[in-house]
Amino acid sequence: METKEFKAESKRLLEMMINSIYTHKEIFLRELISNASDAMDKLYFKSLTDTSVGMKREEFRILITPDSKARTLTIADNGIGMTAEELEANLGTIAKSGSLSFKKDNELGEDVNIIGQFGVGFYSAFMVASAVTVTSKAYGANKAYRWASSGTDGYTMEECEKETAGTEIVLQLKENADEEDYDKYTQEYELKNLVKKYSDYIRYPIQMEMDKYEYDEEKKESVPHRELTTLNSMVPIWKKNKSELKAEDYQTFYKDTYYDYETPLAYIHAKNEGTATYNALLFIPAKAPFDYYSKEFEKGLTLYSSGVMIMEKCADLLPDYFSFVRGLVDSEDLSLNISREMLQHDRQLKIIAKNIEKSIKNELTKMRDNRREDYEKFFQAFGLQLKFGVYQSYGMNKDALKDLLMFTSSFENKLVTLAEYVSRMKEDQKFIYYASGDSVARLEMLPQTEMVREKGYEILYLTDNVDEFAIKMLMEYDSKQFKSVTAGDLDLGTEEEKEEIKKTAEDSKDMFAFMKETLGDKITEVRVSSRLKTHPVCITSEGEISVEMEKILNEMPQTGANGEKVEAKKVLELNAAHPVFEKLKTLYASDKDKLAAYTKLLYSQALLIEGVNLENPSEFSSLMADLMANA
Ligand code: ADP
């Protein structure tokens, strides 16, 4: 018989499986059972519209048959089966597995991630088997085929006999080795446990012939007899009574279903009757999946209609800002054969989605109030998404989300909610102050914050790009306006101080005009600062766009290099109490060239403090060098 070669990618995955040191090799059984269950789903679906299938729901089953003498394990299903072409296409190549392209440079042995994160399907059989034979007959076909492979050399295909539709997979188990005992996969007890552990909610019976003990009156002892036993409980967890379930049951379900080894931060088991009847099981993960903040990520809940899955990821059930939620909804109100397009307009679905949104918000609120540490963990992972949610759709959802937000505070560098901030505002404090920049460390050193701190006011440090945009969208919280410490008038000083500043400004009017002239369009104004205490200079902004926003917007592809530059209206603020200010005044009277040079220096310094790149760093450097040489 001709041996055919595997496609290159398949060969790599296969190699990985054969040489796997993965400690949970046992997952191969889960993978094969899932495939079998999928195949039965397909035939069952077909039977709903095609009466000639002639199979009833309760006739579908998966049969597991171990043979300890031959050291084989057989997994058989009576699902839709595969044609010769499908056998080749599905088992000879990995068509859609993203696993390999994701971890191209994975070295053999370093396979924990790939297996843990994706589940690798059929090929996982090679973690425990030295040879695999797949006999399959597609539903409606006359002929059956056998696919066989003992590893990377390739596979063979031949026609064979099989009476009914379905697939039978025979694993020839590997020889036992020091690190792994493969015999255990022929032990009934072990297999039963594995099915319970991984495949308990498979909706078809998973059966195995096992010893059943019965008391023999004559022999006066329990004697075994062989009996076909169903190993899984089949009832999906979400259909069970909440009182029957422990937190652990939900956690195990979550981990097995979503291949996440971390315990979820919260779960919601909702049972609803009334305008919409449904069961929902929702989870809030502890960590964002690696692709969460990428275009590739697909949100959605699995949708079931009376226990039968009708859509893997129903996006309409989750608003974007809660896209991190994983879980499922099971509703008898939805028809099995509903199409994607119809679903979008389904009234029931909309009601369910609204309810679910409420449940999620309640759960998060509860976590925020009662489990602060967990909430902070949640916010580290998904806070960004909530902030996007505030900003998107012109702030349509800001009111729903504002109380879920947290920002780092200048008080102890801890995350605070807006309510907490407002509750401890000083009596004379009018605004909610914030500073925005690359990092907390940087913001702490920002000269513009000096006065605000001196007053004992708390400052929110905004370090994510979206933060300031979200804040601008919120505009206010609890009737308190937000105010950037680096923008506009902070309105901090006493009447006396304000008067003083006004006077200095008046006296220095001409000098400021000269300095503004020197810097040209780079700034809109030179001004006496009311926010600086020890630093001589800073940049602030006037109007809608802050210096930080300018930086962010110009780094974005659509505005940045290809499009128009966005510009903040910058103001150069000088500290009149700083010795440098006196120096400037002297120079204005005696040496305007030097004043011009100092103006440029001060402007560059202010930009550097702000974390903005200098347009002309070498000019800055030579001005500095001149200054040193003449000092
Ligand atoms: P996945 O299940 O992720 O698609 P697998 O490698 O496990 O990847 O399986 C590849 C394909 O082979 C499946 O999508 C399915 O079409 C087919 N297949 C696997 N096992 C069976 C089976 N028992 N019955 C019918 N088709 C199967």
mmCIF file of all heavy atoms in Angstrom, residues 596-613:
data_model
loop_
_atom_site.group_PDB
_atom_site.id
_atom_site.type_symbol
_atom_site.label_atom_id
_atom_site.label_comp_id
_atom_site.label_asym_id
_atom_site.label_seq_id
_atom_site.Cartn_x
_atom_site.Cartn_y
_atom_site.Cartn_z
ATOM 1 N N ALA A 596 16.882 85.369 23.905
ATOM 2 C CA ALA A 596 16.297 84.478 22.888
ATOM 3 C C ALA A 596 16.820 83.054 23.077
ATOM 4 O O ALA A 596 16.063 82.077 23.030
ATOM 5 C CB ALA A 596 16.624 84.996 21.489
ATOM 6 N N ALA A 597 18.131 82.951 23.319
ATOM 7 C CA ALA A 597 18.725 81.626 23.521
ATOM 8 C C ALA A 597 18.137 80.967 24.771
ATOM 9 O O ALA A 597 17.771 79.782 24.757
ATOM 10 C CB ALA A 597 20.231 81.742 23.644
ATOM 11 N N TYR A 598 17.993 81.714 25.833
ATOM 12 C CA TYR A 598 17.435 81.168 27.069
ATOM 13 C C TYR A 598 15.969 80.745 26.885
ATOM 14 O O TYR A 598 15.517 79.748 27.459
ATOM 15 C CB TYR A 598 17.540 82.209 28.207
ATOM 16 C CG TYR A 598 18.922 82.295 28.831
ATOM 17 C CD1 TYR A 598 20.043 81.844 28.140
ATOM 18 C CD2 TYR A 598 19.097 82.814 30.105
ATOM 19 C CE1 TYR A 598 21.302 81.930 28.711
ATOM 20 C CE2 TYR A 598 20.354 82.891 30.685
ATOM 21 C CZ TYR A 598 21.461 82.452 29.972
ATOM 22 O OH TYR A 598 22.702 82.532 30.531
ATOM 23 N N THR A 599 15.274 81.525 26.105
ATOM 24 C CA THR A 599 13.866 81.190 25.847
ATOM 25 C C THR A 599 13.765 79.820 25.178
ATOM 26 O O THR A 599 12.961 78.969 25.570
ATOM 27 C CB THR A 599 13.218 82.257 24.942
ATOM 28 O OG1 THR A 599 13.355 83.526 25.574
ATOM 29 C CG2 THR A 599 11.763 81.954 24.705
ATOM 30 N N LYS A 600 14.626 79.618 24.183
ATOM 31 C CA LYS A 600 14.619 78.316 23.498
ATOM 32 C C LYS A 600 14.987 77.188 24.458
ATOM 33 O O LYS A 600 14.413 76.099 24.416
ATOM 34 C CB LYS A 600 15.599 78.328 22.324
ATOM 35 C CG LYS A 600 15.106 79.141 21.150
ATOM 36 C CD LYS A 600 16.116 79.083 20.014
ATOM 37 C CE LYS A 600 15.744 80.069 18.919
ATOM 38 N NZ LYS A 600 16.842 80.259 17.965
ATOM 39 N N LEU A 601 15.972 77.476 25.301
ATOM 40 C CA LEU A 601 16.381 76.463 26.281
ATOM 41 C C LEU A 601 15.240 76.105 27.234
ATOM 42 O O LEU A 601 14.951 74.926 27.473
ATOM 43 C CB LEU A 601 17.561 76.982 27.102
ATOM 44 C CG LEU A 601 18.952 76.675 26.556
ATOM 45 C CD1 LEU A 601 19.998 77.417 27.369
ATOM 46 C CD2 LEU A 601 19.217 75.165 26.591
ATOM 47 N N LEU A 602 14.598 77.132 27.728
ATOM 48 C CA LEU A 602 13.503 76.883 28.677
ATOM 49 C C LEU A 602 12.370 76.101 28.017
ATOM 50 O O LEU A 602 11.801 75.178 28.605
ATOM 51 C CB LEU A 602 12.964 78.208 29.225
ATOM 52 C CG LEU A 602 13.854 78.888 30.270
ATOM 53 C CD1 LEU A 602 13.385 80.309 30.528
ATOM 54 C CD2 LEU A 602 13.867 78.069 31.562
ATOM 55 N N TYR A 603 12.080 76.477 26.782
ATOM 56 C CA TYR A 603 11.024 75.778 26.048
ATOM 57 C C TYR A 603 11.387 74.290 25.888
ATOM 58 O O TYR A 603 10.571 73.397 26.134
ATOM 59 C CB TYR A 603 10.821 76.455 24.699
ATOM 60 C CG TYR A 603 9.912 75.704 23.753
ATOM 61 C CD1 TYR A 603 8.539 75.645 23.998
ATOM 62 C CD2 TYR A 603 10.416 75.069 22.621
ATOM 63 C CE1 TYR A 603 7.698 74.959 23.127
ATOM 64 C CE2 TYR A 603 9.588 74.386 21.751
ATOM 65 C CZ TYR A 603 8.232 74.332 22.009
ATOM 66 O OH TYR A 603 7.398 73.652 21.159
ATOM 67 N N SER A 604 12.640 74.027 25.493
ATOM 68 C CA SER A 604 13.066 72.635 25.324
ATOM 69 C C SER A 604 13.009 71.872 26.640
ATOM 70 O O SER A 604 12.574 70.722 26.700
ATOM 71 C CB SER A 604 14.493 72.562 24.783
ATOM 72 O OG SER A 604 14.573 73.225 23.550
ATOM 73 N N GLN A 605 13.426 72.535 27.697
ATOM 74 C CA GLN A 605 13.375 71.880 29.018
ATOM 75 C C GLN A 605 11.937 71.490 29.368
ATOM 76 O O GLN A 605 11.678 70.390 29.841
ATOM 77 C CB GLN A 605 13.902 72.835 30.096
ATOM 78 C CG GLN A 605 15.395 72.935 30.136
ATOM 79 C CD GLN A 605 15.818 74.056 31.086
ATOM 80 O OE1 GLN A 605 15.754 75.222 30.746
ATOM 81 N NE2 GLN A 605 16.231 73.695 32.268
ATOM 82 N N ALA A 606 11.044 72.423 29.107
ATOM 83 C CA ALA A 606 9.640 72.159 29.434
ATOM 84 C C ALA A 606 9.101 70.972 28.635
ATOM 85 O O ALA A 606 8.364 70.133 29.148
ATOM 86 C CB ALA A 606 8.800 73.399 29.167
ATOM 87 N N LEU A 607 9.529 70.897 27.358
ATOM 88 C CA LEU A 607 9.080 69.763 26.536
ATOM 89 C C LEU A 607 9.644 68.453 27.066
ATOM 90 O O LEU A 607 8.947 67.442 27.145
ATOM 91 C CB LEU A 607 9.516 69.943 25.082
ATOM 92 C CG LEU A 607 8.758 70.970 24.234
ATOM 93 C CD1 LEU A 607 9.315 70.974 22.824
ATOM 94 C CD2 LEU A 607 7.265 70.684 24.214
ATOM 95 N N LEU A 608 10.923 68.468 27.427
ATOM 96 C CA LEU A 608 11.562 67.245 27.929
ATOM 97 C C LEU A 608 10.848 66.741 29.177
ATOM 98 O O LEU A 608 10.597 65.546 29.329
ATOM 99 C CB LEU A 608 13.036 67.504 28.228
ATOM 100 C CG LEU A 608 13.941 67.590 26.996
ATOM 101 C CD1 LEU A 608 15.348 67.996 27.410
ATOM 102 C CD2 LEU A 608 13.956 66.258 26.250
ATOM 103 N N ILE A 609 10.536 67.645 30.065
ATOM 104 C CA ILE A 609 9.837 67.261 31.293
ATOM 105 C C ILE A 609 8.507 66.604 30.953
ATOM 106 O O ILE A 609 8.081 65.625 31.565
ATOM 107 C CB ILE A 609 9.586 68.503 32.182
ATOM 108 C CG1 ILE A 609 10.912 69.037 32.719
ATOM 109 C CG2 ILE A 609 8.646 68.159 33.331
ATOM 110 C CD1 ILE A 609 10.774 70.381 33.400
ATOM 111 N N GLU A 610 7.887 67.113 29.919
ATOM 112 C CA GLU A 610 6.570 66.642 29.500
ATOM 113 C C GLU A 610 6.662 65.294 28.768
ATOM 114 O O GLU A 610 5.663 64.637 28.538
ATOM 115 C CB GLU A 610 5.981 67.708 28.574
ATOM 116 C CG GLU A 610 4.510 67.660 28.340
ATOM 117 C CD GLU A 610 3.706 67.896 29.608
ATOM 118 O OE1 GLU A 610 4.121 68.708 30.441
ATOM 119 O OE2 GLU A 610 2.660 67.240 29.747
ATOM 120 N N GLY A 611 7.898 64.899 28.414
ATOM 121 C CA GLY A 611 8.060 63.637 27.688
ATOM 122 C C GLY A 611 7.808 63.786 26.200
ATOM 123 O O GLY A 611 7.468 62.831 25.517
ATOM 124 N N VAL A 612 7.949 64.997 25.691
ATOM 125 C CA VAL A 612 7.758 65.217 24.254
ATOM 126 C C VAL A 612 9.132 65.293 23.595
ATOM 127 O O VAL A 612 10.051 65.909 24.138
ATOM 128 C CB VAL A 612 6.997 66.550 24.012
ATOM 129 C CG1 VAL A 612 6.835 66.820 22.523
ATOM 130 C CG2 VAL A 612 5.649 66.512 24.703
ATOM 131 N N ASN A 613 9.256 64.659 22.425
ATOM 132 C CA ASN A 613 10.530 64.700 21.713
ATOM 133 C C ASN A 613 10.831 66.115 21.218
ATOM 134 O O ASN A 613 9.938 66.808 20.736
ATOM 135 C CB ASN A 613 10.497 63.769 20.502
ATOM 136 C CG ASN A 613 10.684 62.331 20.917
ATOM 137 O OD1 ASN A 613 11.250 62.062 21.983
ATOM 138 N ND2 ASN A 613 10.205 61.417 20.095
#
